[in-house]
Amino acid sequence: MSEVKSKTKRSSATSYKISFRDRFNTALKLHKENSLQTLLDILRQPTNSLMTILVLAIALALPSAFYLFMTNAKAVSQSWDGGVKISVYLQDDATEKQAQELLTQLNLRPQFEQVTFVSKDDALSEFKEYSGIGDAISYLDKNPLPFAITLTPTSSFADPKSLESLAQELTSLALVDKAKLDSDWIKKYNSILTISEQIATFVSLMLALGVLLIVGNTIRLAILNRRDEIQVIKLVGATDAFIRRPFLYTGLWYGLIAALLAALMVNIVFVLLKQSTSQLAQLYSSEFSLLGLAPSFTLSLLVIGSLLGLIGAWVSVRKHLKDINPQ
Amino acid sequence: MIEFHQVFKRYEGGHEALKGVSFGLPRGEMAFLTGHSGAGKSTLLKLIALMERPTRGQIILDDIDISNVKDRQIPYHRRKIGMIFQDHRLLYDRSVYDNVALPLIIAGVSDRDIPKRVRAALDKVGLLNKERQLPIQLSGGEQQRVGIARAVVNKPPLLLADEPTGNLDPELSEDIMNLFAQFNQVGVSVLIASHDLGLIARMKHPVIALKEGRTIRNELAEVDFA
């Protein structure tokens, strides 16, 4: 009897302990199985998961669309930056001769690519043509407009800072009333862009939080659905990691599939918009063409989507698995 | 294999399920735990499997004081114990084979060993020809055998059974009990909670009888191992 006992003791001691290599291989195998199984589960029950995935996809598509919009808006403003001009308005009492002298001086400067003289008459006729109040102006007995010179800086002086200092320097010249950058509205445009960017970032963060919560809630329901199964598996010695893994993969797949759908949605919208924007650009005789989602952005969208799914599932699993204990 | 030293268990809400239980189950022994429902049988088994923690007292399993087993080590503790329940606790959406394979998959047994061991366990309980079926297609007695196969597939040194014959007719009950006796003969320690007194008497194994959380008959008294 004692012989039997010692024999069984030995065999029992080895039976429920597994070598590290076996355990490692099994873990690897479980990862493969869990990932495949959960993916198939999602694809096999599209009615269950479709709604969730669509909501997630929309929540991911919106920030991507924001991003695409911002990229294009910035590209538009950059294409303008090259064409900035400085308008120098002379003082009212400056004579035409003085104006011509200044023109010659400025022409000698290396900063300017092109220097154009705008006579009072030219300015007035131009104003009449474009202001829409031409008739009213003809009642004036005297031309109220000053002489003006339009300067186009060379490209090395076209950055906002040098333009600003050029304008200041020109204003300080004796004959000059003021020098005005026609890039002012570009600055306004850019600051509106900055604000929009901040709003977009904020909204995107909220949507990311939404994705976390949606995935978390979906996983919570999945856990509650499989409550009995989890209890049984815990009874036969499953670790938390073992129970957690399929749920984490489910979250990961939700995020990844939703991100793929989001990229698809944004690309569809892009194709639809591309034509109308190129028509618009033609009207402005601009070379601008709409930029699509860069591959690197699409890739990071997929990574972020997967990560959000994984984190959402992780938070939910941590919170809810603890509460399920075998009775 | 199991030692209880003055174990108390009081549940939240004040119900005292165990009031100072002491006994020792020697390694390789098979014993019965009897008593009316509510006497504390299930609580006692739950304490061994760490489904509950004792309020007071010491429980030693396989020479380890189980109060030292931390929560995250509980899964490894449970792998030493094969548990069988009155309601079988099978996974009803998986085949008999998959149910029995579960403890092996969980423990990380390699792929090439799993089919061999599952079939060996199913063979022992006489269900080798039903491995492809779903539990729901089996009779109550057969489902209980699947539960037993699942409990022994990992070759644990201890089997715990909570009313394993509760829903079965006398003939099937005897079959199930004989199955436990067979496992005991190859060295597995077995503790069975049951109120089938006639069957227990025929089996001729030590008995611990509980009443209102105390032992009223103890054929495995602490003196045996102290």
Side-chain angles (χ1 to χ4, degrees), chain A residues 265-303:
Chain A
M265 286 179 187
V266 174
N267 275 312
I268 289 172
V269 172
F270 166 74
V271 170
L272 293 178
L273 282 182
K274 195 168 169 66
Q275 203 161 15
S276 45
T277 48
S278 68
Q279 275 169 5
L280 184 70
Q282 262 172 9
L283 288 179
Y284 280 87
S285 55
S286 151
E287 298 279 292
F288 179 74
S289 121
L290 201 61
L291 300 167
L293 280 183
S296 63
F297 180 81
T298 309
L299 191 68
S300 34
L301 175 65
L302 298 185
V303 171

Side-chain angles (χ1 to χ4, degrees), chain A residues 5 8-9 12 15-16 18 22 26 29-30 229 232-239 242 326-327, chain B residues 27 51 62 75-76 78-80 83 85 89 91 94 106-109 111 150 154-155 157 186:
Chain A
K5 265 191 196 168
T8 52
K9 194 180 166 191
S12 70
S15 62
Y16 57 87
I18 314 290
D22 269 4
T26 310
K29 188 190 72 168
L30 282 175
E229 187 181 341
V232 169
I233 290 175
K234 276 194 173 179
L235 274 179
V236 294
T239 55
F242 182 90
Q327 295 301 312
Chain B
R27 207 177 287 278
M51 290 155 76
D62 207 10
Y76 304 99
R78 286 189 186 143
R79 289 177 196 178
K80 298 184 204 171
M83 270 184 286
F85 306 89
R89 308 251 178 124
L91 300 179
R94 299 192 200 182
I106 285 171
V109 174
D111 261 354
R150 184 182 68 188
N154 218 5
K155 295 187 190 161
V186 296

Side-chain angles (χ1 to χ4, degrees), chain A residues 57-226:
Chain A
I58 291 166
L60 289 171
L62 281 174
S64 314
F66 281 144
Y67 174 82
L68 194 60
F69 175 77
M70 297 310 297
T71 320
N72 279 293
K74 276 186 199 159
V76 167
S77 86
Q78 258 156 26
S79 73
W80 289 328
D81 278 348
V84 173
K85 290 176 181 166
I86 303 173
S87 300
V88 174
Y89 300 101
L90 302 192
Q91 281 164 2
D92 278 343
D93 52 0
T95 63
E96 177 146 9
K97 198 178 160 231
Q98 285 172 316
Q100 290 290 357
E101 272 166 26
L102 183 63
L103 183 71
T104 323
Q105 271 176 37
L106 292 175
N107 240 332
L108 293 173
R109 292 211 192 175
Q111 295 103 314
F112 303 115
E113 199 172 273
Q114 208 189 345
V115 179
T116 329
F117 179 68
V118 184
S119 73
K120 285 189 179 185
D121 294 343
D122 287 348
L124 187 65
S125 55
E126 197 179 316
F127 187 69
K128 269 186 184 166
E129 196 177 328
Y130 290 109
S131 67
I133 52 167
D135 288 347
I137 288 168
S138 21
Y139 290 106
L140 295 172
D141 50 354
K142 197 179 138 223
N143 184 350
L145 297 173
F147 289 110
I149 298 170
T150 307
L151 304 160
T152 309
T154 56
S155 55
S156 49
F157 286 92
D159 60 294
K161 241 183 166 174
S162 347
L163 285 175
E164 198 64 45
S165 60
L166 260 182
Q168 264 175 19
E169 194 231 307
L170 290 169
T171 311
S172 66
L173 292 179
L175 277 174
V176 175
D177 179 34
K178 69 178 169 198
K180 208 162 177 290
L181 285 172
D182 66 358
S183 71
D184 276 6
W185 67 276
I186 294 180
K187 265 201 245 158
K188 283 174 197 155
Y189 177 86
N190 278 333
S191 61
I192 290 172
L193 268 193
T194 312
I195 293 170
S196 321
E197 201 167 19
Q198 283 165 352
I199 293 173
T201 308
F202 179 71
V203 173
S204 301
L205 286 176
M206 298 299 282
L207 287 168
L209 186 68
V211 169
L212 279 183
L213 293 176
I214 294 164
V215 172
N217 195 46
T218 308
I219 297 298
R220 183 182 69 91
L221 292 176
I223 291 172
L224 293 182
N225 252 335
R226 297 173 66 179

Side-chain angles (χ1 to χ4, degrees), chain B residues 32-38 41 86 162-167 177 192-200:
Chain B
F32 288 101
L33 188 61
T34 70
H36 297 291
S37 29
K41 301 192 297 283
Q86 182 175 5
D162 193 359
E163 301 283 0
T165 62
N167 293 329
M177 287 302 182
I192 302 170
S194 172
H195 55 243
D196 192 344
L197 294 175
L199 188 57
I200 291 170

Side-chain angles (χ1 to χ4, degrees), chain A residues 252-267:
Chain A
L252 182 82
W253 289 125
Y254 271 123
L256 183 62
I257 296 171
L260 276 169
L261 262 182
L264 190 70
M265 286 179 187
V266 174
N267 275 312

Side-chain angles (χ1 to χ4, degrees), chain B residues 78-224:
Chain B
R78 286 189 186 143
R79 289 177 196 178
K80 298 184 204 171
I81 306 168
M83 270 184 286
I84 294 118
F85 306 89
Q86 182 175 5
D87 55 359
H88 324 315
R89 308 251 178 124
L90 303 175
L91 300 179
Y92 290 94
D93 58 344
R94 299 192 200 182
S95 69
V96 167
Y97 179 95
D98 288 343
N99 266 284
V100 177
L102 191 62
L104 299 176
I105 294 168
I106 285 171
V109 174
S110 75
D111 261 354
R112 52 177 198 283
D113 290 345
I114 289 179
K116 224 164 44 194
R117 292 175 68 169
V118 170
R119 298 213 168 94
L122 282 173
D123 191 29
K124 269 181 225 159
V125 301
L127 287 177
L128 199 49
N129 54 341
K130 309 234 163 156
E131 62 172 52
R132 291 281 144 235
Q133 301 198 14
L134 291 174
I136 210 78
Q137 299 168 300
L138 304 180
S139 70
E142 287 170 328
Q143 289 189 27
Q144 191 56 282
R145 286 159 183 271
V146 176
I148 294 171
R150 184 182 68 188
V152 299
V153 73
N154 218 5
K155 295 187 190 161
L158 174 65
L159 287 181
L160 296 180
D162 193 359
E163 301 283 0
T165 62
N167 293 329
L168 304 179
D169 57 52
E171 208 176 316
L172 281 174
S173 301
E174 191 138 359
D175 284 352
I176 296 281
M177 287 302 182
N178 286 330
L179 207 48
F180 284 120
Q182 282 172 31
F183 289 116
N184 177 239
Q185 269 158 24
V186 296
V188 181
S189 313
V190 184
L191 183 60
I192 302 170
S194 172
H195 55 243
D196 192 344
L197 294 175
L199 188 57
I200 291 170
R202 286 201 295 283
M203 298 290 293
K204 298 194 169 56
H205 283 282
V207 174
I208 301 166
L210 291 177
K211 190 181 182 186
E212 289 167 5
R214 290 193 177 83
T215 47
I216 51 170
R217 177 175 155 206
N218 194 347
E219 296 173 3
L220 290 171
E222 214 170 346
V223 285
D224 281 352

